[in-house]
Amino acid sequence: MAEAHQAVGFQFTVHPDGVDIKLSQEVIKNIYLSGVTAWKKRAILFKNGFLSGVYPASPFSWLIVVIAMMSSLYTHIDLSLGMIDVIKENLPHKDCMSKQTRAVLSAILFATGLWIFLIYLMRYSLKALLSYHGWIFESHGKISTSTKVWLSLVKMFSGRRPLLYSFQAALPRLPVPSVDDTIQRYLESVRPLLNSQQYNQMEMLANNFKDTEAAQLQRYLVLKSWWATNYVSDWWEEYIYLRSRGPIMVNSNFYIMDLLYVTPTHRQAARAGNVVHALLQYRRKLERGEHAPLRALGTVPMCSTQMERMFNTTRVPGIATDIVQHLTNRKHLVVYHKGRFFQVWLYTGGRHLLPSELETQFQRILNDTSEPQPGELKLAALTAGDRVPWARARVKNFSRGVNKTSLNAIESAAFFLTLDEEPQGYDPSKTNSLDNYAKSLLHGKCYDRWFDKSFTLISYPNGKIGVNVEHSWADAPIVGHMLEYVLATDCFHLGYTEEGHCKGDVNRGLPYPTRLQWQISKECQDVIETSYLSAKQIADDVDFHGYLFTDFGKGLIKKCRTSPDAFIQLALQLAQFRDQGVFCLTYESSMTRMFRDGRTETVRSCTSEAVAFVRAMEDTSATNAQRLALFRKAAEKHQNMYRLAMTGSGIDRHLFCLYIVSKYLGVDSPFLKKVLSEPWKLSTSQTPQQQLNLIDINKFPKYVGAGGGFGPVADDGYGVSYIIIGENLITFHISSKFSSPDTNSCRFGQHIQQAMIDIQTLFKMENDKKIDKNLNCVHIVNGKKHL
């Protein structure tokens, strides 16, 4: 067999005359190539690490400074103001060096010190510039002179050709807002949701907190902000994600879909081969830090910290809290198919497997007819159920022997791949195709995704793909960045043959994928079944509805001179009121990645201005002019809140951290307890797209993603994710629970659609009125039209 041949590196036979050694040239060649690749990788990592470490300067700039200092030795113009002479007199072992050597060495040392000083000066100058956020509060499409000057300075201090992590040291820290500002904004946010008596009680709690515990808690928080790179992110990861003891499937994990209209090949193994190869290319650039950093306006850098744990990362269960385990230099992935787990090596001869070679490996798994071992079929359900039973089962049943070896293979894999058995994807001829596709990605069968892995890649028999993502290590834009690169590489660089196979020669000599072995006791099987039944109950309760809004898109909304996000958020408020008859606390996620280690902040979209607009829309006595004026006021309010959240002046992360400090200090705060217990009945998020601009969607309008979504946050609420695609399409992903008698995802989708149309009608009527007014001003004189 091929694998047996590859496994034997050398053979030897003992003769009376000595030992006869036979080496396998193929294995020796692979060992040599692997070593060369490893050293190349070390060299590239060292080079890129050095370049990022001295950024925004460059090694060439060091040479310029050295030459300038050396020239002072011959021009007798002391640019160092005497410092070179001081260094020369204090050099160790100076008696062993000539006068010329000491002068040259002193000049080089001074030049190096000056160069390092200039690097820090430029870096802190850039950090000071990036701490300015006035540009984000300017009206859309209007850039003031001061902002133009600021942008020019940022570009000047940003250097040329930055690597992924070049800006990390220059990013400012997330500021701690003042308690007074946060409480004022909080009270303003809850005013439309409370009656007078409830609001007065909340105001009393807030003022009492401000007068008593707030100052002490704030001092500790400010101290942490001086010491830590980000005063929120570590606590957010630990207390919101890792300390949760409930299932992460549906409740925490999210999903992202494939291309909406295009399926490059209908061969499952081929599509998986190309996509996995593209992921390996992405990982190689990621490990080397060669991706370009994301920058707002093409200039303002975003934090890249979250990208570090994209591959070889697993959430490991614990009794009290989970941990995120990140490894490096792991060269395999684990594949699940029909209840069996396979280990597939991703490298051969010091290089990635080619797409055609990966297709061969995945096809071998698809062709494998072996049966699952006892307990293997639903093993992954442990990651879908409650965390404590999984943590206990892991210690008791997977800490030794073959179980430990196999579990280690899964947890150390680059990522997890599921070769699914049922086709999925968007089909315009089927009304619920997007619903089924979303539910498959969100939870599947509850045992065919490893929900603890950083992400599970799902490959379907019809060629479609998708990912299920564990949420603790990163947010959706990070995975969206990866998937955008992968899809562009898959479709426009790798491609397929006319028969739908991966391009390249087929290598039949590769070792076969290895079946992972398990010895799962009856007791452990019972735990697996309990986790499965618990997860299945959650999955069956997810009421999901996805649909494409094609009446209009970003293009028409921008013509209305308003933000597309504010437009959609106000439509969601109108839909929520029509669906439930009341307003509710609304969560919209915004990013804080303009700060070091920044993740997200909450925008409380249900404002007093939004409520006034919605009530006017439902008031038959209100005129369209009044409704439109209220809309513009509400949209401007929303945009201002979004900007405040992005620039570190949000409400919820500050209050959350104050609450954590209060728990550490043993301080009981009724106000913070009340704030943190409020349910988010409407949770919303926008999926970003075109982060890399690798595909021109104007030229290739069919090559657009379908976005992604998440499960409902509240038992009686909705989760809504939306993606604004191009100029004429918006995709909505809506989730709720069947067990709630008050919610219905399909019904809510219809309300959103109607709300979008109703708001757009306001602008259309205003525009028609302007046209009529202009036409009424036209009169004819001597056969010519005049105004």
Side-chain angles (χ1 to χ4, degrees):
M1 293 177 65
E3 61 269 30
H5 174 73
Q6 296 288 339
V8 180
F10 66 91
Q11 300 174 352
F12 67 92
T13 306
V14 179
H15 295 287
D17 298 330
V19 179
D20 181 18
I21 299 177
K22 295 181 180 179
L23 297 176
S24 169
Q25 293 184 0
E26 182 68 21
V27 174
I28 296 300
K29 178 183 176 182
N30 277 311
I31 292 172
Y32 167 75
L33 291 174
S34 296
V36 170
T37 301
W39 281 106
K40 281 183 178 179
K41 182 177 180 180
R42 290 191 186 99
I44 292 171
L45 287 174
F46 175 80
K47 182 195 77 171
N48 290 341
F50 177 75
L51 291 175
S52 295
V54 302
Y55 199 83
S58 66
F60 182 71
S61 65
W62 172 82
L63 186 60
I64 293 174
V65 177
V66 169
I67 292 172
M69 292 301 108
M70 293 287 288
S71 66
S72 68
L73 299 177
Y74 302 98
T75 60
H76 303 292
I77 300 174
D78 190 1
L79 299 176
S80 71
L81 302 177
M83 289 298 298
I84 291 178
D85 291 334
V86 173
I87 295 172
K88 191 191 320 182
E89 294 302 319
N90 290 279
L91 280 174
H93 310 294
K94 62 180 179 180
D95 296 335
C96 302
M97 293 180 280
S98 66
K99 185 177 180 180
Q100 182 72 12
T101 302
R102 280 187 288 148
V104 171
L105 183 58
S106 299
I108 292 174
L109 289 174
F110 176 77
T112 302
L114 178 62
W115 180 64
I116 293 172
F117 170 77
L118 292 174
I119 288 173
Y120 278 93
L121 180 63
M122 293 177 65
R123 191 174 288 171
Y124 280 98
S125 298
L126 181 58
K127 180 179 286 190
L129 288 168
L130 294 177
S131 298
Y132 168 75
H133 299 114
W135 61 273
I136 205 171
F137 291 93
E138 294 186 350
S139 300
H140 183 70
K142 297 179 182 179
I143 301 179
S144 66
T145 303
S146 60
T147 295
K148 289 178 181 178
V149 172
W150 173 79
L151 283 171
S152 299
L153 288 172
V154 170
K155 289 178 181 178
M156 183 177 72
F157 283 100
S158 292
R160 298 171 63 244
R161 293 192 294 272
L163 296 171
L164 180 62
Y165 302 114
S166 294
F167 290 112
Q168 290 300 103
L171 291 174
R173 295 170 184 258
L174 183 68
V176 181
S178 72
V179 173
D180 288 350
D181 288 345
T182 297
I183 289 179
Q184 178 189 345
R185 292 183 186 126
Y186 171 77
L187 291 174
E188 185 182 344
S189 73
V190 298
R191 186 64 188 93
L193 305 174
L194 306 175
N195 59 38
S196 297
Q197 182 180 357
Q198 291 171 330
Y199 179 77
N200 290 336
Q201 290 176 346
M202 181 57 75
E203 190 176 34
M204 184 177 65
L205 285 175
N207 290 331
N208 185 58
F209 168 74
K210 186 166 57 174
D211 296 337
T212 54
E213 308 106 350
Q216 180 191 14
L217 303 181
Q218 180 78 347
R219 280 195 295 270
Y220 281 101
L221 207 55
V222 171
L223 180 63
K224 186 191 177 187
S225 74
W226 292 346
W227 176 255
T229 54
N230 190 293
Y231 79 92
V232 175
S233 294
D234 57 339
W235 284 349
W236 185 255
E237 178 177 307
E238 179 181 356
Y239 291 100
I240 297 301
Y241 295 115
L242 299 180
R243 289 212 178 191
S244 172
R245 301 294 80 203
I248 62 175
M249 183 202 76
V250 176
N251 297 325
S252 178
N253 287 27
F254 59 92
Y255 67 86
I256 302 180
M257 291 180 169
D258 193 6
L259 295 171
L260 187 59
Y261 301 115
V262 175
T263 306
T265 178
H266 292 283
R267 296 185 183 273
Q268 184 176 18
R271 185 76 196 285
N274 259 12
V275 168
V276 170
H277 185 77
L279 282 167
L280 295 178
Q281 289 183 328
Y282 184 90
R283 183 176 74 161
R284 180 168 57 192
K285 293 185 70 174
L286 183 63
E287 289 175 341
R288 296 175 177 178
E290 293 175 345
H291 289 291
L294 287 177
R295 292 196 267 186
L297 300 180
T299 304
V300 184
M302 303 285 119
C303 180
S304 302
T305 300
Q306 293 181 58
M307 302 177 78
E308 295 174 353
R309 298 186 292 179
M310 187 173 293
F311 294 91
N312 306 104
T313 297
T314 301
R315 176 171 173 163
V316 178
I319 300 298
T321 182
D322 296 350
I323 62 170
V324 177
Q325 173 184 276
H326 174 64
L327 305 170
T328 57
N329 296 322
R330 296 307 191 269
K331 300 182 177 181
H332 70 279
L333 64 80
V334 171
V335 182
Y336 179 92
H337 177 59
K338 288 188 175 180
R340 295 87 43 84
F341 294 82
F342 297 83
Q343 185 176 24
V344 178
W345 291 100
L346 301 172
Y347 289 76
T348 182
R351 63 166 176 82
H352 291 148
L353 290 185
L354 301 175
S356 57
E357 294 171 329
L358 288 165
E359 179 185 358
T360 299
Q361 297 294 68
F362 298 146
Q363 192 60 53
R364 285 170 171 173
I365 293 174
L366 291 171
N367 295 339
D368 190 296
T369 58
S370 60
E371 293 294 321
Q373 300 162 73
E376 185 180 18
L377 175 66
K378 298 180 181 179
L379 175 63
L382 289 170
T383 68
D386 291 324
R387 305 304 291 173
V388 173
W390 170 210
R392 288 174 176 156
R394 189 176 186 276
V395 172
K396 187 173 183 179
N397 301 282
F398 298 91
S399 58
R400 65 186 68 85
V402 294
N403 288 352
K404 180 180 179 180
T405 302
S406 296
L407 181 62
N408 182 64
I410 294 174
E411 294 183 339
S412 64
F415 53 92
F416 194 82
L417 169 64
T418 294
L419 297 175
D420 218 302
E421 303 169 56
E422 299 176 7
Q424 298 290 349
Y426 172 66
D427 185 348
S429 64
K430 298 178 181 178
T431 56
N432 63 343
S433 63
L434 211 56
D435 306 5
N436 295 333
Y437 186 18
K439 283 177 68 68
S440 173
L441 291 173
L442 187 61
H443 53 68
K445 296 178 180 177
C446 304
Y447 58 78
D448 51 356
R449 288 95 176 87
W450 199 269
F451 294 100
D452 285 353
K453 287 300 290 182
S454 55
F455 68 92
T456 296
L457 174 67
I458 300 121
S459 174
Y460 294 103
N462 59 344
K464 281 294 183 184
I465 63 159
V467 290
N468 179 285
V469 187
E470 199 280 309
H471 207 335
S472 67
W473 65 274
D475 302 309
I478 304 301
V479 186
H481 182 278
M482 174 195 73
L483 202 59
E484 188 175 333
Y485 174 93
V486 167
L487 294 177
T489 303
D490 171 30
C491 298
F492 291 91
H493 296 281
L494 299 177
Y496 300 87
T497 66
E498 292 183 359
E499 294 79 20
H501 293 286
C502 295
K503 293 180 180 179
D505 297 330
V506 177
N507 184 358
R508 300 291 184 185
L510 291 171
Y512 272 67
T514 306
R515 273 290 300 273
L516 298 185
Q517 300 300 310
W518 307 96
Q519 293 178 356
I520 302 175
S521 65
K522 180 64 172 63
E523 181 185 3
C524 185
Q525 291 181 40
D526 292 340
V527 177
I528 293 171
E529 185 65 20
T530 300
S531 294
Y532 165 68
L533 293 175
S534 172
K536 188 175 186 301
Q537 185 176 7
I538 295 172
D540 290 344
D541 196 26
V542 175
D543 176 13
F544 198 92
H545 178 61
Y547 77 95
L548 310 183
F549 182 83
T550 56
D551 293 65
F552 57 88
K554 179 174 63 176
L556 185 60
I557 294 174
K558 283 186 173 180
K559 289 180 181 179
C560 300
R561 292 180 297 171
T562 189
S563 157
D565 183 70
F567 187 102
I568 294 172
Q569 284 292 326
L570 288 171
L572 290 174
Q573 290 301 316
L574 181 55
Q576 162 71 23
F577 186 77
R578 288 174 174 175
D579 187 82
Q580 298 292 310
V582 293
F583 296 98
C584 69
L585 194 61
T586 305
Y587 182 110
E588 182 189 5
S589 178
S590 76
M591 65 89 181
T592 56
R593 288 173 59 205
M594 290 190 294
F595 301 96
R596 183 77 178 268
D597 294 344
R599 290 197 60 163
T600 61
E601 177 58 276
T602 304
V603 180
R604 293 175 167 238
S605 301
C606 186
T607 62
S608 297
E609 290 80 359
V611 168
F613 163 70
V614 170
R615 292 197 183 281
M617 288 294 290
E618 299 300 279
D619 183 0
T620 55
S621 64
T623 65
N624 287 328
Q626 291 172 330
R627 292 167 177 167
L628 198 56
L630 290 170
F631 173 86
R632 293 193 185 281
K633 188 176 179 181
E636 182 58 35
K637 175 67 174 181
H638 179 269
Q639 278 300 95
N640 187 61
M641 291 182 61
Y642 201 96
R643 292 161 178 160
L644 287 170
M646 287 181 64
T647 53
S649 297
I651 300 168
D652 289 277
R653 298 301 178 269
H654 185 204
L655 293 176
F656 163 75
C657 288
L658 289 172
Y659 177 76
I660 297 299
V661 174
S662 74
K663 300 305 287 185
Y664 278 126
L665 297 177
V667 175
D668 184 41
S669 171
F671 170 69
L672 292 176
K673 195 178 296 183
K674 177 73 172 175
V675 170
L676 271 295
S677 65
E678 293 171 336
W680 301 95
K681 289 195 175 183
L682 180 57
S683 182
T684 71
S685 178
Q686 180 182 170
T687 305
Q689 66 144 359
Q690 294 297 98
Q691 297 185 73
L692 293 171
N693 293 315
L694 294 177
I695 301 176
D696 185 349
I697 59 176
N698 294 319
K699 188 176 180 180
F700 302 99
K702 295 294 183 182
Y703 286 85
V704 293
F710 51 89
V713 175
D715 291 337
D716 55 350
Y718 292 106
V720 181
S721 176
Y722 53 93
I723 178 170
I724 303 171
I725 306 171
E727 299 296 308
N728 301 299
L729 175 63
I730 304 170
T731 302
F732 288 92
H733 302 251
I734 307 165
S735 63
S736 61
K737 293 189 176 183
F738 285 116
S739 57
S740 171
D742 299 325
T743 59
N744 182 293
S745 294
C746 184
R747 184 186 70 208
F748 193 63
Q750 292 170 354
H751 283 308
I752 294 174
Q753 185 173 13
Q754 189 59 51
M756 295 278 289
I757 293 171
D758 288 347
I759 294 175
Q760 190 271 334
T761 302
L762 293 179
F763 289 94
K764 184 176 183 300
M765 294 176 70
E766 181 195 39
N767 189 50
D768 291 344
K769 192 174 182 180
K770 288 180 179 179
I771 293 173
D772 290 340
K773 185 177 180 181
N774 290 335
L775 289 175
N776 290 334
C777 294
V778 175
H779 60 277
I780 298 175
V781 177
N782 295 327
K784 295 182 179 180
K785 290 183 179 180
H786 295 271
L787 294 178

